[in-house]
Amino acid sequence: MSDRKAVVLLSGGLDSATSLAIAVDKGYECYCLSFEYGQRHGIEIQFAASLANSLGAVEHRIARIDIGAFGGSALTDSQIEVPDYVPCENQIPVTYVPARNTVFLACALGWAEVLGARDIFIGVNAVDYSGYPDCRPEFITAFQTLANLATRSGVEGDHFNIQVPLIDLNKKEIIRCGMALGVDYARTVSCYRLDERGYACGRCDSCVIRRQGFQSAGVEDPTQYSV
């Protein structure tokens, strides 16, 4: 057992699974945190639990914080349709969940301080992604600064590090990294329109980016699609 602890945000998706595998490979004792936040595709939590177990996490907790109660996103509001993938630049899509990563990281920070962990892993990516503002390096830098200003541990000099091992990787590179570390991507889900069986739609932003990643990596896509 490592004497280094880390909190790992785990959604059940491809990126967070790879981030967890990297943290384990680096020798961290990993405490995984997932959220029921009012998302329409809540079945992802089952996938997260399976990943935490298969990749060797010490503990997996599920926090229930209904940020979806505020609406404003196709991922939380059934009145807003999840669109099919359309390439676009410099436009934040309707699948953006307001302040989601800020809230998730704040919760992870609280648990990390209680555990005595100084590292928090989050699988954000600023290359092959949907253009969310809370996946950018500038956001991560700003949150790390906040973490070390707003906590007792930070004030007393035992600083926190927000680890973003995937931030500069494309999906092909992420998949190859995860394969090398033994990630079973059949245990992951990325779709914004998952059905009750956990099958992916194959047409939303996340599905298309994921499928292209497997194709580029030369790896068979293990995703179960509804059509």
Side-chain angles (χ1 to χ4, degrees), residues 175-197:
I175 289 167
R176 287 182 174 174
C177 175
M179 295 288 290
L181 294 174
V183 177
D184 180 2
Y185 286 118
R187 292 176 177 266
T188 69
V189 290
S190 302
C191 181
Y192 293 152
R193 288 190 294 221
L194 285 173
D195 66 18
E196 64 279 359
R197 302 168 297 173

Side-chain angles (χ1 to χ4, degrees), residues 37-43 73-82 192-194:
Y37 62 92
Q39 68 268 51
R40 292 165 62 179
H41 50 294
I43 194 172
S73 170
L75 299 192
T76 60
D77 189 339
S78 61
Q79 301 302 309
I80 303 175
E81 184 178 356
V82 175
Y192 293 152
R193 288 190 294 221
L194 285 173

